[in-house]
mmCIF file with all atom_site columns, all heavy atoms in Angstrom:
data_model
loop_
_atom_site.group_PDB
_atom_site.id
_atom_site.type_symbol
_atom_site.label_atom_id
_atom_site.label_alt_id
_atom_site.label_comp_id
_atom_site.label_asym_id
_atom_site.label_entity_id
_atom_site.label_seq_id
_atom_site.pdbx_PDB_ins_code
_atom_site.Cartn_x
_atom_site.Cartn_y
_atom_site.Cartn_z
_atom_site.occupancy
_atom_site.B_iso_or_equiv
_atom_site.pdbx_formal_charge
_atom_site.auth_seq_id
_atom_site.auth_comp_id
_atom_site.auth_asym_id
_atom_site.auth_atom_id
_atom_site.pdbx_PDB_model_num
ATOM 1   N N   . ALA A 1 1  ? -72.486 -33.576 101.341 1.00 0.00 ? 1  ALA A N   1
ATOM 2   C CA  . ALA A 1 1  ? -71.146 -33.360 100.848 1.00 0.00 ? 1  ALA A CA  1
ATOM 3   C C   . ALA A 1 1  ? -70.583 -32.009 101.333 1.00 0.00 ? 1  ALA A C   1
ATOM 4   O O   . ALA A 1 1  ? -71.349 -31.047 101.545 1.00 0.00 ? 1  ALA A O   1
ATOM 5   C CB  . ALA A 1 1  ? -70.970 -33.409 99.338  1.00 0.00 ? 1  ALA A CB  1
ATOM 6   N N   . ILE A 1 2  ? -69.280 -31.945 101.485 1.00 0.00 ? 2  ILE A N   1
ATOM 7   C CA  . ILE A 1 2  ? -68.520 -30.677 101.715 1.00 0.00 ? 2  ILE A CA  1
ATOM 8   C C   . ILE A 1 2  ? -67.431 -30.760 100.627 1.00 0.00 ? 2  ILE A C   1
ATOM 9   O O   . ILE A 1 2  ? -66.508 -31.551 100.737 1.00 0.00 ? 2  ILE A O   1
ATOM 10  C CB  . ILE A 1 2  ? -67.859 -30.605 103.101 1.00 0.00 ? 2  ILE A CB  1
ATOM 11  C CG1 . ILE A 1 2  ? -69.010 -30.554 104.164 1.00 0.00 ? 2  ILE A CG1 1
ATOM 12  C CG2 . ILE A 1 2  ? -67.008 -29.346 103.166 1.00 0.00 ? 2  ILE A CG2 1
ATOM 13  C CD1 . ILE A 1 2  ? -68.455 -30.496 105.603 1.00 0.00 ? 2  ILE A CD1 1
ATOM 14  N N   . GLY A 1 3  ? -67.587 -29.852 99.677  1.00 0.00 ? 3  GLY A N   1
ATOM 15  C CA  . GLY A 1 3  ? -66.627 -29.860 98.570  1.00 0.00 ? 3  GLY A CA  1
ATOM 16  C C   . GLY A 1 3  ? -66.799 -31.227 97.871  1.00 0.00 ? 3  GLY A C   1
ATOM 17  O O   . GLY A 1 3  ? -67.888 -31.691 97.549  1.00 0.00 ? 3  GLY A O   1
ATOM 18  N N   . ASP A 1 4  ? -65.657 -31.928 97.659  1.00 0.00 ? 4  ASP A N   1
ATOM 19  C CA  . ASP A 1 4  ? -65.622 -33.199 97.043  1.00 0.00 ? 4  ASP A CA  1
ATOM 20  C C   . ASP A 1 4  ? -65.726 -34.368 97.985  1.00 0.00 ? 4  ASP A C   1
ATOM 21  O O   . ASP A 1 4  ? -65.705 -35.538 97.616  1.00 0.00 ? 4  ASP A O   1
ATOM 22  C CB  . ASP A 1 4  ? -64.360 -33.356 96.147  1.00 0.00 ? 4  ASP A CB  1
ATOM 23  C CG  . ASP A 1 4  ? -64.366 -32.467 94.919  1.00 0.00 ? 4  ASP A CG  1
ATOM 24  O OD1 . ASP A 1 4  ? -65.478 -31.877 94.568  1.00 0.00 ? 4  ASP A OD1 1
ATOM 25  O OD2 . ASP A 1 4  ? -63.254 -32.307 94.319  1.00 0.00 ? 4  ASP A OD2 1
ATOM 26  N N   . ILE A 1 5  ? -65.810 -34.085 99.310  1.00 0.00 ? 5  ILE A N   1
ATOM 27  C CA  . ILE A 1 5  ? -65.940 -35.130 100.319 1.00 0.00 ? 5  ILE A CA  1
ATOM 28  C C   . ILE A 1 5  ? -67.406 -35.435 100.469 1.00 0.00 ? 5  ILE A C   1
ATOM 29  O O   . ILE A 1 5  ? -68.274 -34.570 100.798 1.00 0.00 ? 5  ILE A O   1
ATOM 30  C CB  . ILE A 1 5  ? -65.365 -34.629 101.694 1.00 0.00 ? 5  ILE A CB  1
ATOM 31  C CG1 . ILE A 1 5  ? -63.980 -34.045 101.567 1.00 0.00 ? 5  ILE A CG1 1
ATOM 32  C CG2 . ILE A 1 5  ? -65.473 -35.798 102.671 1.00 0.00 ? 5  ILE A CG2 1
ATOM 33  C CD1 . ILE A 1 5  ? -62.985 -35.010 101.027 1.00 0.00 ? 5  ILE A CD1 1
ATOM 34  N N   . ARG A 1 6  ? -67.730 -36.738 100.169 1.00 0.00 ? 6  ARG A N   1
ATOM 35  C CA  . ARG A 1 6  ? -69.148 -37.114 100.103 1.00 0.00 ? 6  ARG A CA  1
ATOM 36  C C   . ARG A 1 6  ? -69.486 -38.123 101.210 1.00 0.00 ? 6  ARG A C   1
ATOM 37  O O   . ARG A 1 6  ? -68.646 -38.913 101.630 1.00 0.00 ? 6  ARG A O   1
ATOM 38  C CB  . ARG A 1 6  ? -69.459 -37.735 98.785  1.00 0.00 ? 6  ARG A CB  1
ATOM 39  C CG  . ARG A 1 6  ? -69.139 -36.705 97.619  1.00 0.00 ? 6  ARG A CG  1
ATOM 40  C CD  . ARG A 1 6  ? -69.880 -37.029 96.342  1.00 0.00 ? 6  ARG A CD  1
ATOM 41  N NE  . ARG A 1 6  ? -69.668 -35.982 95.340  1.00 0.00 ? 6  ARG A NE  1
ATOM 42  C CZ  . ARG A 1 6  ? -70.498 -34.958 95.370  1.00 0.00 ? 6  ARG A CZ  1
ATOM 43  N NH1 . ARG A 1 6  ? -71.527 -34.865 96.141  1.00 0.00 ? 6  ARG A NH1 1
ATOM 44  N NH2 . ARG A 1 6  ? -70.296 -33.936 94.429  1.00 0.00 ? 6  ARG A NH2 1
ATOM 45  N N   . LEU A 1 7  ? -70.727 -38.119 101.661 1.00 0.00 ? 7  LEU A N   1
ATOM 46  C CA  . LEU A 1 7  ? -71.194 -38.994 102.689 1.00 0.00 ? 7  LEU A CA  1
ATOM 47  C C   . LEU A 1 7  ? -71.256 -40.463 102.184 1.00 0.00 ? 7  LEU A C   1
ATOM 48  O O   . LEU A 1 7  ? -70.942 -41.347 102.921 1.00 0.00 ? 7  LEU A O   1
ATOM 49  C CB  . LEU A 1 7  ? -72.596 -38.515 103.183 1.00 0.00 ? 7  LEU A CB  1
ATOM 50  C CG  . LEU A 1 7  ? -73.152 -39.170 104.376 1.00 0.00 ? 7  LEU A CG  1
ATOM 51  C CD1 . LEU A 1 7  ? -72.230 -38.997 105.656 1.00 0.00 ? 7  LEU A CD1 1
ATOM 52  C CD2 . LEU A 1 7  ? -74.571 -38.691 104.713 1.00 0.00 ? 7  LEU A CD2 1
ATOM 53  N N   . GLY A 1 8  ? -71.690 -40.581 100.927 1.00 0.00 ? 8  GLY A N   1
ATOM 54  C CA  . GLY A 1 8  ? -71.787 -41.930 100.379 1.00 0.00 ? 8  GLY A CA  1
ATOM 55  C C   . GLY A 1 8  ? -72.791 -42.822 101.131 1.00 0.00 ? 8  GLY A C   1
ATOM 56  O O   . GLY A 1 8  ? -73.872 -42.401 101.534 1.00 0.00 ? 8  GLY A O   1
ATOM 57  N N   . HIS A 1 9  ? -72.359 -44.054 101.432 1.00 0.00 ? 9  HIS A N   1
ATOM 58  C CA  . HIS A 1 9  ? -73.194 -45.006 102.048 1.00 0.00 ? 9  HIS A CA  1
ATOM 59  C C   . HIS A 1 9  ? -72.851 -45.217 103.515 1.00 0.00 ? 9  HIS A C   1
ATOM 60  O O   . HIS A 1 9  ? -73.267 -46.218 104.130 1.00 0.00 ? 9  HIS A O   1
ATOM 61  C CB  . HIS A 1 9  ? -73.137 -46.394 101.342 1.00 0.00 ? 9  HIS A CB  1
ATOM 62  C CG  . HIS A 1 9  ? -73.591 -46.295 99.896  1.00 0.00 ? 9  HIS A CG  1
ATOM 63  N ND1 . HIS A 1 9  ? -74.902 -46.054 99.485  1.00 0.00 ? 9  HIS A ND1 1
ATOM 64  C CD2 . HIS A 1 9  ? -72.885 -46.440 98.795  1.00 0.00 ? 9  HIS A CD2 1
ATOM 65  C CE1 . HIS A 1 9  ? -74.990 -46.044 98.199  1.00 0.00 ? 9  HIS A CE1 1
ATOM 66  N NE2 . HIS A 1 9  ? -73.744 -46.259 97.687  1.00 0.00 ? 9  HIS A NE2 1
ATOM 67  N N   . LEU A 1 10 ? -72.239 -44.254 104.072 1.00 0.00 ? 10 LEU A N   1
ATOM 68  C CA  . LEU A 1 10 ? -71.885 -44.311 105.551 1.00 0.00 ? 10 LEU A CA  1
ATOM 69  C C   . LEU A 1 10 ? -73.165 -44.353 106.354 1.00 0.00 ? 10 LEU A C   1
ATOM 70  O O   . LEU A 1 10 ? -74.077 -43.564 106.193 1.00 0.00 ? 10 LEU A O   1
ATOM 71  C CB  . LEU A 1 10 ? -71.048 -43.109 105.888 1.00 0.00 ? 10 LEU A CB  1
ATOM 72  C CG  . LEU A 1 10 ? -70.519 -43.046 107.360 1.00 0.00 ? 10 LEU A CG  1
ATOM 73  C CD1 . LEU A 1 10 ? -69.586 -44.212 107.618 1.00 0.00 ? 10 LEU A CD1 1
ATOM 74  C CD2 . LEU A 1 10 ? -69.838 -41.704 107.674 1.00 0.00 ? 10 LEU A CD2 1
ATOM 75  N N   . MET A 1 11 ? -73.217 -45.415 107.208 1.00 0.00 ? 11 MET A N   1
ATOM 76  C CA  . MET A 1 11 ? -74.443 -45.524 108.055 1.00 0.00 ? 11 MET A CA  1
ATOM 77  C C   . MET A 1 11 ? -74.597 -44.374 109.074 1.00 0.00 ? 11 MET A C   1
ATOM 78  O O   . MET A 1 11 ? -73.594 -43.892 109.593 1.00 0.00 ? 11 MET A O   1
ATOM 79  C CB  . MET A 1 11 ? -74.369 -46.886 108.801 1.00 0.00 ? 11 MET A CB  1
ATOM 80  C CG  . MET A 1 11 ? -74.510 -48.106 107.849 1.00 0.00 ? 11 MET A CG  1
ATOM 81  S SD  . MET A 1 11 ? -74.345 -49.649 108.810 1.00 0.00 ? 11 MET A SD  1
ATOM 82  C CE  . MET A 1 11 ? -75.791 -49.513 109.893 1.00 0.00 ? 11 MET A CE  1
ATOM 83  N N   . GLU A 1 12 ? -75.780 -44.038 109.401 1.00 0.00 ? 12 GLU A N   1
ATOM 84  C CA  . GLU A 1 12 ? -76.128 -43.008 110.329 1.00 0.00 ? 12 GLU A CA  1
ATOM 85  C C   . GLU A 1 12 ? -75.544 -43.360 111.752 1.00 0.00 ? 12 GLU A C   1
ATOM 86  O O   . GLU A 1 12 ? -75.677 -44.488 112.155 1.00 0.00 ? 12 GLU A O   1
ATOM 87  C CB  . GLU A 1 12 ? -77.659 -42.805 110.465 1.00 0.00 ? 12 GLU A CB  1
ATOM 88  C CG  . GLU A 1 12 ? -78.065 -41.585 111.206 1.00 0.00 ? 12 GLU A CG  1
ATOM 89  C CD  . GLU A 1 12 ? -79.491 -41.294 111.093 1.00 0.00 ? 12 GLU A CD  1
ATOM 90  O OE1 . GLU A 1 12 ? -79.937 -40.735 110.033 1.00 0.00 ? 12 GLU A OE1 1
ATOM 91  O OE2 . GLU A 1 12 ? -80.260 -41.695 112.015 1.00 0.00 ? 12 GLU A OE2 1
ATOM 92  N N   . GLY A 1 13 ? -74.883 -42.427 112.341 1.00 0.00 ? 13 GLY A N   1
ATOM 93  C CA  . GLY A 1 13 ? -74.316 -42.632 113.640 1.00 0.00 ? 13 GLY A CA  1
ATOM 94  C C   . GLY A 1 13 ? -72.917 -43.249 113.579 1.00 0.00 ? 13 GLY A C   1
ATOM 95  O O   . GLY A 1 13 ? -72.228 -43.458 114.601 1.00 0.00 ? 13 GLY A O   1
ATOM 96  N N   . HIS A 1 14 ? -72.461 -43.578 112.410 1.00 0.00 ? 14 HIS A N   1
ATOM 97  C CA  . HIS A 1 14 ? -71.124 -44.157 112.220 1.00 0.00 ? 14 HIS A CA  1
ATOM 98  C C   . HIS A 1 14 ? -70.135 -43.089 111.671 1.00 0.00 ? 14 HIS A C   1
ATOM 99  O O   . HIS A 1 14 ? -70.546 -42.025 111.202 1.00 0.00 ? 14 HIS A O   1
ATOM 100 C CB  . HIS A 1 14 ? -71.143 -45.343 111.296 1.00 0.00 ? 14 HIS A CB  1
ATOM 101 C CG  . HIS A 1 14 ? -71.794 -46.538 111.842 1.00 0.00 ? 14 HIS A CG  1
ATOM 102 N ND1 . HIS A 1 14 ? -71.208 -47.781 112.028 1.00 0.00 ? 14 HIS A ND1 1
ATOM 103 C CD2 . HIS A 1 14 ? -73.094 -46.664 112.451 1.00 0.00 ? 14 HIS A CD2 1
ATOM 104 C CE1 . HIS A 1 14 ? -72.102 -48.646 112.576 1.00 0.00 ? 14 HIS A CE1 1
ATOM 105 N NE2 . HIS A 1 14 ? -73.207 -47.995 112.841 1.00 0.00 ? 14 HIS A NE2 1
ATOM 106 N N   . TYR A 1 15 ? -68.837 -43.473 111.703 1.00 0.00 ? 15 TYR A N   1
ATOM 107 C CA  . TYR A 1 15 ? -67.780 -42.590 111.154 1.00 0.00 ? 15 TYR A CA  1
ATOM 108 C C   . TYR A 1 15 ? -66.832 -43.435 110.272 1.00 0.00 ? 15 TYR A C   1
ATOM 109 O O   . TYR A 1 15 ? -66.731 -44.656 110.386 1.00 0.00 ? 15 TYR A O   1
ATOM 110 C CB  . TYR A 1 15 ? -67.051 -41.784 112.182 1.00 0.00 ? 15 TYR A CB  1
ATOM 111 C CG  . TYR A 1 15 ? -66.116 -42.652 113.053 1.00 0.00 ? 15 TYR A CG  1
ATOM 112 C CD1 . TYR A 1 15 ? -64.846 -42.936 112.626 1.00 0.00 ? 15 TYR A CD1 1
ATOM 113 C CD2 . TYR A 1 15 ? -66.545 -43.109 114.299 1.00 0.00 ? 15 TYR A CD2 1
ATOM 114 C CE1 . TYR A 1 15 ? -63.978 -43.694 113.417 1.00 0.00 ? 15 TYR A CE1 1
ATOM 115 C CE2 . TYR A 1 15 ? -65.678 -43.866 115.073 1.00 0.00 ? 15 TYR A CE2 1
ATOM 116 C CZ  . TYR A 1 15 ? -64.387 -44.174 114.590 1.00 0.00 ? 15 TYR A CZ  1
ATOM 117 O OH  . TYR A 1 15 ? -63.570 -44.932 115.385 1.00 0.00 ? 15 TYR A OH  1
ATOM 118 N N   . ARG A 1 16 ? -66.128 -42.722 109.403 1.00 0.00 ? 16 ARG A N   1
ATOM 119 C CA  . ARG A 1 16 ? -65.043 -43.366 108.729 1.00 0.00 ? 16 ARG A CA  1
ATOM 120 C C   . ARG A 1 16 ? -63.829 -42.355 108.616 1.00 0.00 ? 16 ARG A C   1
ATOM 121 O O   . ARG A 1 16 ? -64.049 -41.200 108.628 1.00 0.00 ? 16 ARG A O   1
ATOM 122 C CB  . ARG A 1 16 ? -65.473 -43.798 107.273 1.00 0.00 ? 16 ARG A CB  1
ATOM 123 C CG  . ARG A 1 16 ? -65.733 -42.576 106.350 1.00 0.00 ? 16 ARG A CG  1
ATOM 124 C CD  . ARG A 1 16 ? -65.906 -43.034 104.923 1.00 0.00 ? 16 ARG A CD  1
ATOM 125 N NE  . ARG A 1 16 ? -66.236 -41.920 104.048 1.00 0.00 ? 16 ARG A NE  1
ATOM 126 C CZ  . ARG A 1 16 ? -65.343 -41.083 103.496 1.00 0.00 ? 16 ARG A CZ  1
ATOM 127 N NH1 . ARG A 1 16 ? -64.033 -41.221 103.706 1.00 0.00 ? 16 ARG A NH1 1
ATOM 128 N NH2 . ARG A 1 16 ? -65.746 -40.088 102.699 1.00 0.00 ? 16 ARG A NH2 1
ATOM 129 N N   . LYS A 1 17 ? -62.656 -42.883 108.518 1.00 0.00 ? 17 LYS A N   1
ATOM 130 C CA  . LYS A 1 17 ? -61.518 -42.072 108.390 1.00 0.00 ? 17 LYS A CA  1
ATOM 131 C C   . LYS A 1 17 ? -61.360 -41.544 106.964 1.00 0.00 ? 17 LYS A C   1
ATOM 132 O O   . LYS A 1 17 ? -61.652 -42.250 106.036 1.00 0.00 ? 17 LYS A O   1
ATOM 133 C CB  . LYS A 1 17 ? -60.216 -42.757 108.811 1.00 0.00 ? 17 LYS A CB  1
ATOM 134 C CG  . LYS A 1 17 ? -60.116 -42.976 110.339 1.00 0.00 ? 17 LYS A CG  1
ATOM 135 C CD  . LYS A 1 17 ? -58.805 -43.553 110.741 1.00 0.00 ? 17 LYS A CD  1
ATOM 136 C CE  . LYS A 1 17 ? -58.708 -43.748 112.259 1.00 0.00 ? 17 LYS A CE  1
ATOM 137 N NZ  . LYS A 1 17 ? -57.340 -44.208 112.704 1.00 0.00 ? 17 LYS A NZ  1
ATOM 138 N N   . LEU A 1 18 ? -60.949 -40.308 106.751 1.00 0.00 ? 18 LEU A N   1
ATOM 139 C CA  . LEU A 1 18 ? -60.753 -39.832 105.470 1.00 0.00 ? 18 LEU A CA  1
ATOM 140 C C   . LEU A 1 18 ? -59.595 -40.517 104.802 1.00 0.00 ? 18 LEU A C   1
ATOM 141 O O   . LEU A 1 18 ? -58.568 -40.876 105.506 1.00 0.00 ? 18 LEU A O   1
ATOM 142 C CB  . LEU A 1 18 ? -60.508 -38.338 105.472 1.00 0.00 ? 18 LEU A CB  1
ATOM 143 C CG  . LEU A 1 18 ? -61.712 -37.405 105.362 1.00 0.00 ? 18 LEU A CG  1
ATOM 144 C CD1 . LEU A 1 18 ? -62.679 -37.558 106.582 1.00 0.00 ? 18 LEU A CD1 1
ATOM 145 C CD2 . LEU A 1 18 ? -61.334 -35.910 105.185 1.00 0.00 ? 18 LEU A CD2 1
ATOM 146 N N   . THR A 1 19 ? -59.654 -40.672 103.513 1.00 0.00 ? 19 THR A N   1
ATOM 147 C CA  . THR A 1 19 ? -58.514 -41.300 102.781 1.00 0.00 ? 19 THR A CA  1
ATOM 148 C C   . THR A 1 19 ? -57.414 -40.253 102.584 1.00 0.00 ? 19 THR A C   1
ATOM 149 O O   . THR A 1 19 ? -57.632 -39.017 102.794 1.00 0.00 ? 19 THR A O   1
ATOM 150 C CB  . THR A 1 19 ? -58.941 -41.755 101.428 1.00 0.00 ? 19 THR A CB  1
ATOM 151 O OG1 . THR A 1 19 ? -59.338 -40.588 100.605 1.00 0.00 ? 19 THR A OG1 1
ATOM 152 C CG2 . THR A 1 19 ? -60.139 -42.749 101.494 1.00 0.00 ? 19 THR A CG2 1
ATOM 153 N N   . LYS A 1 20 ? -56.290 -40.707 102.295 1.00 0.00 ? 20 LYS A N   1
ATOM 154 C CA  . LYS A 1 20 ? -55.113 -39.789 102.115 1.00 0.00 ? 20 LYS A CA  1
ATOM 155 C C   . LYS A 1 20 ? -55.398 -38.800 100.983 1.00 0.00 ? 20 LYS A C   1
ATOM 156 O O   . LYS A 1 20 ? -55.125 -37.634 101.092 1.00 0.00 ? 20 LYS A O   1
ATOM 157 C CB  . LYS A 1 20 ? -53.846 -40.614 101.715 1.00 0.00 ? 20 LYS A CB  1
ATOM 158 C CG  . LYS A 1 20 ? -52.618 -39.736 101.505 1.00 0.00 ? 20 LYS A CG  1
ATOM 159 C CD  . LYS A 1 20 ? -51.449 -40.649 101.164 1.00 0.00 ? 20 LYS A CD  1
ATOM 160 C CE  . LYS A 1 20 ? -50.148 -39.772 100.907 1.00 0.00 ? 20 LYS A CE  1
ATOM 161 N NZ  . LYS A 1 20 ? -48.971 -40.590 100.569 1.00 0.00 ? 20 LYS A NZ  1
ATOM 162 N N   . LYS A 1 21 ? -56.107 -39.306 99.960  1.00 0.00 ? 21 LYS A N   1
ATOM 163 C CA  . LYS A 1 21 ? -56.527 -38.424 98.809  1.00 0.00 ? 21 LYS A CA  1
ATOM 164 C C   . LYS A 1 21 ? -57.486 -37.296 99.260  1.00 0.00 ? 21 LYS A C   1
ATOM 165 O O   . LYS A 1 21 ? -57.407 -36.175 98.878  1.00 0.00 ? 21 LYS A O   1
ATOM 166 C CB  . LYS A 1 21 ? -57.098 -39.279 97.726  1.00 0.00 ? 21 LYS A CB  1
ATOM 167 C CG  . LYS A 1 21 ? -57.446 -38.471 96.488  1.00 0.00 ? 21 LYS A CG  1
ATOM 168 C CD  . LYS A 1 21 ? -57.997 -39.326 95.356  1.00 0.00 ? 21 LYS A CD  1
ATOM 169 C CE  . LYS A 1 21 ? -58.319 -38.577 94.086  1.00 0.00 ? 21 LYS A CE  1
ATOM 170 N NZ  . LYS A 1 21 ? -58.915 -39.527 92.978  1.00 0.00 ? 21 LYS A NZ  1
ATOM 171 N N   . GLU A 1 22 ? -58.429 -37.725 100.121 1.00 0.00 ? 22 GLU A N   1
ATOM 172 C CA  . GLU A 1 22 ? -59.431 -36.769 100.603 1.00 0.00 ? 22 GLU A CA  1
ATOM 173 C C   . GLU A 1 22 ? -58.715 -35.708 101.541 1.00 0.00 ? 22 GLU A C   1
ATOM 174 O O   . GLU A 1 22 ? -59.111 -34.469 101.442 1.00 0.00 ? 22 GLU A O   1
ATOM 175 C CB  . GLU A 1 22 ? -60.544 -37.482 101.393 1.00 0.00 ? 22 GLU A CB  1
ATOM 176 C CG  . GLU A 1 22 ? -61.515 -38.279 100.529 1.00 0.00 ? 22 GLU A CG  1
ATOM 177 C CD  . GLU A 1 22 ? -62.453 -39.083 101.351 1.00 0.00 ? 22 GLU A CD  1
ATOM 178 O OE1 . GLU A 1 22 ? -62.083 -39.591 102.417 1.00 0.00 ? 22 GLU A OE1 1
ATOM 179 O OE2 . GLU A 1 22 ? -63.601 -39.248 100.927 1.00 0.00 ? 22 GLU A OE2 1
ATOM 180 N N   . ILE A 1 23 ? -57.784 -36.150 102.334 1.00 0.00 ? 23 ILE A N   1
ATOM 181 C CA  . ILE A 1 23 ? -57.096 -35.227 103.203 1.00 0.00 ? 23 ILE A CA  1
ATOM 182 C C   . ILE A 1 23 ? -56.267 -34.208 102.386 1.00 0.00 ? 23 ILE A C   1
ATOM 183 O O   . ILE A 1 23 ? -56.304 -32.971 102.652 1.00 0.00 ? 23 ILE A O   1
ATOM 184 C CB  . ILE A 1 23 ? -56.192 -35.925 104.157 1.00 0.00 ? 23 ILE A CB  1
ATOM 185 C CG1 . ILE A 1 23 ? -57.019 -36.791 105.152 1.00 0.00 ? 23 ILE A CG1 1
ATOM 186 C CG2 . ILE A 1 23 ? -55.349 -34.939 105.037 1.00 0.00 ? 23 ILE A CG2 1
ATOM 187 C CD1 . ILE A 1 23 ? -56.189 -37.756 105.991 1.00 0.00 ? 23 ILE A CD1 1
ATOM 188 N N   . GLU A 1 24 ? -55.576 -34.743 101.360 1.00 0.00 ? 24 GLU A N   1
ATOM 189 C CA  . GLU A 1 24 ? -54.842 -33.844 100.484 1.00 0.00 ? 24 GLU A CA  1
ATOM 190 C C   . GLU A 1 24 ? -55.725 -32.848 99.751  1.00 0.00 ? 24 GLU A C   1
ATOM 191 O O   . GLU A 1 24 ? -55.378 -31.698 99.564  1.00 0.00 ? 24 GLU A O   1
ATOM 192 C CB  . GLU A 1 24 ? -54.022 -34.690 99.496  1.00 0.00 ? 24 GLU A CB  1
ATOM 193 C CG  . GLU A 1 24 ? -52.892 -35.518 100.069 1.00 0.00 ? 24 GLU A CG  1
ATOM 194 C CD  . GLU A 1 24 ? -52.274 -36.405 99.097  1.00 0.00 ? 24 GLU A CD  1
ATOM 195 O OE1 . GLU A 1 24 ? -52.806 -36.661 97.997  1.00 0.00 ? 24 GLU A OE1 1
ATOM 196 O OE2 . GLU A 1 24 ? -51.192 -36.994 99.405  1.00 0.00 ? 24 GLU A OE2 1
ATOM 197 N N   . TYR A 1 25 ? -56.884 -33.329 99.351  1.00 0.00 ? 25 TYR A N   1
ATOM 198 C CA  . TYR A 1 25 ? -57.815 -32.437 98.688  1.00 0.00 ? 25 TYR A CA  1
ATOM 199 C C   . TYR A 1 25 ? -58.266 -31.310 99.645  1.00 0.00 ? 25 TYR A C   1
ATOM 200 O O   . TYR A 1 25 ? -58.253 -30.096 99.188  1.00 0.00 ? 25 TYR A O   1
ATOM 201 C CB  . TYR A 1 25 ? -59.078 -33.184 98.229  1.00 0.00 ? 25 TYR A CB  1
ATOM 202 C CG  . TYR A 1 25 ? -60.292 -32.326 98.040  1.00 0.00 ? 25 TYR A CG  1
ATOM 203 C CD1 . TYR A 1 25 ? -60.364 -31.500 96.913  1.00 0.00 ? 25 TYR A CD1 1
ATOM 204 C CD2 . TYR A 1 25 ? -61.319 -32.371 98.858  1.00 0.00 ? 25 TYR A CD2 1
ATOM 205 C CE1 . TYR A 1 25 ? -61.431 -30.603 96.699  1.00 0.00 ? 25 TYR A CE1 1
ATOM 206 C CE2 . TYR A 1 25 ? -62.455 -31.506 98.721  1.00 0.00 ? 25 TYR A CE2 1
ATOM 207 C CZ  . TYR A 1 25 ? -62.527 -30.607 97.642  1.00 0.00 ? 25 TYR A CZ  1
ATOM 208 O OH  . TYR A 1 25 ? -63.554 -29.849 97.381  1.00 0.00 ? 25 TYR A OH  1
ATOM 209 N N   . LEU A 1 26 ? -58.629 -31.623 100.868 1.00 0.00 ? 26 LEU A N   1
ATOM 210 C CA  . LEU A 1 26 ? -59.066 -30.570 101.783 1.00 0.00 ? 26 LEU A CA  1
ATOM 211 C C   . LEU A 1 26 ? -57.914 -29.576 102.105 1.00 0.00 ? 26 LEU A C   1
ATOM 212 O O   . LEU A 1 26 ? -58.189 -28.362 102.165 1.00 0.00 ? 26 LEU A O   1
ATOM 213 C CB  . LEU A 1 26 ? -59.548 -31.286 103.078 1.00 0.00 ? 26 LEU A CB  1
ATOM 214 C CG  . LEU A 1 26 ? -60.854 -31.987 103.079 1.00 0.00 ? 26 LEU A CG  1
ATOM 215 C CD1 . LEU A 1 26 ? -61.112 -32.703 104.315 1.00 0.00 ? 26 LEU A CD1 1
ATOM 216 C CD2 . LEU A 1 26 ? -61.971 -31.082 102.649 1.00 0.00 ? 26 LEU A CD2 1
ATOM 217 N N   . LYS A 1 27 ? -56.756 -30.086 102.227 1.00 0.00 ? 27 LYS A N   1
ATOM 218 C CA  . LYS A 1 27 ? -55.605 -29.246 102.525 1.00 0.00 ? 27 LYS A CA  1
ATOM 219 C C   . LYS A 1 27 ? -55.321 -28.351 101.305 1.00 0.00 ? 27 LYS A C   1
ATOM 220 O O   . LYS A 1 27 ? -54.786 -27.191 101.463 1.00 0.00 ? 27 LYS A O   1
ATOM 221 C CB  . LYS A 1 27 ? -54.353 -30.024 102.929 1.00 0.00 ? 27 LYS A CB  1
ATOM 222 C CG  . LYS A 1 27 ? -54.546 -30.625 104.295 1.00 0.00 ? 27 LYS A CG  1
ATOM 223 C CD  . LYS A 1 27 ? -53.235 -31.327 104.732 1.00 0.00 ? 27 LYS A CD  1
ATOM 224 C CE  . LYS A 1 27 ? -53.360 -31.848 106.184 1.00 0.00 ? 27 LYS A CE  1
ATOM 225 N NZ  . LYS A 1 27 ? -52.090 -32.511 106.677 1.00 0.00 ? 27 LYS A NZ  1
#
């Protein structure tokens, strides 16, 4: 994790786009 952004069940070598809520949190 970085802050409240968590890896969760994302498979190794894969990516996912951040949600609008996650982007707002980081900003």
Side-chain angles (χ1 to χ4, degrees):
I2 296 177
D4 291 344
I5 309 300
R6 302 195 172 277
L7 190 62
H9 299 293
L10 183 64
M11 292 178 61
E12 193 171 279
H14 289 236
Y15 70 84
R16 68 170 177 83
K17 290 189 176 181
L18 269 66
T19 65
K20 182 179 179 181
K21 184 177 180 180
E22 288 174 325
I23 295 170
E24 290 174 349
Y25 159 72
L26 290 175
K27 290 185 175 181

